[in-house]
Amino acid sequence: MEQKIHQGRNVKRFREMLNIKQEALAYDLGEDWTQKKISLLEQKDVIEDSLLKQISAVLKIPVEAFQNFDEEQVINIISNTFDNGAIGYQKNDNCTFNTIDKIVQLYDEKIALYERMLKEKEEMMVRFEKLIGK
């Protein structure tokens, strides 16, 4: 038994996902459209292809989405994919490096930089003493 896709309900779903009100969709479709007409459109099982193309252009969603989206199949896929203990995301907070080694490395770099600065200061002092002594 084949279940028909309710295209009007799909238009409503996608419109709501995009957070667009019926009035705004009516305005974008043209002067002869009203909120009431959009409401009636969303109750239709099948929508003419030319009108679907117009709605598709306004919502920037492919026509095929309105024609093929079936919520029952989506729910079925989700329920068969995840078991009771499953989660929908993967948390990966494991470091790929040893944090203590990294801290020691940064400390060593800091010491080396400090020693270079002291050496440059001593060289600068020697130059100043030579300039003053002349």
Side-chain angles (χ1 to χ4, degrees):
M1 181 166 100
E2 187 174 314
Q3 186 176 356
K4 290 182 79 176
I5 306 285
H6 195 287
Q7 294 177 357
R9 195 175 302 133
N10 286 343
V11 169
K12 180 179 179 179
R13 281 190 188 105
F14 287 113
R15 177 185 59 76
E16 289 175 343
M17 280 189 253
L18 295 170
N19 201 23
I20 296 174
K21 296 198 177 285
Q22 289 178 334
E23 296 87 5
L25 180 58
Y27 178 81
D28 289 339
L29 287 175
E31 291 181 11
D32 55 334
W33 284 91
T34 63
Q35 180 272 325
K36 176 100 174 141
K37 202 169 174 183
I38 296 294
S39 180
L40 293 172
L41 173 80
E42 291 176 349
Q43 295 173 18
K44 293 174 77 175
D45 285 338
V46 178
I47 300 172
E48 305 83 43
D49 286 342
S50 61
L51 183 54
L52 269 182
K53 287 178 184 174
Q54 196 176 358
I55 295 169
S56 170
V58 169
L59 296 180
K60 297 178 179 64
I61 294 176
V63 174
E64 295 78 18
F66 302 116
Q67 295 171 335
N68 300 326
F69 181 77
D70 185 10
E71 188 174 5
E72 299 286 329
Q73 290 178 355
V74 172
I75 291 171
N76 189 28
I77 289 170
I78 292 172
S79 64
N80 289 331
T81 304
F82 297 106
D83 64 359
N84 290 339
I87 54 175
Y89 64 92
Q90 180 179 358
K91 186 176 178 184
N92 186 8
D93 59 357
N94 296 333
C95 291
T96 57
F97 56 87
N98 186 338
T99 54
I100 294 176
D101 287 344
K102 198 64 152 170
I103 291 171
V104 169
Q105 177 188 355
L106 291 172
Y107 179 77
D108 290 343
E109 289 175 7
K110 178 181 165 186
I111 295 298
L113 177 63
Y114 183 67
E115 289 174 352
R116 277 197 313 268
M117 289 173 61
L118 283 175
K119 184 178 177 184
E120 288 178 15
K121 180 184 171 192
E122 289 174 9
E123 290 173 358
M124 189 77 78
M125 292 301 289
V126 169
R127 285 189 214 143
F128 283 139
E129 288 174 1
K130 285 182 182 178
L131 284 174
I132 294 174
K134 285 188 176 181

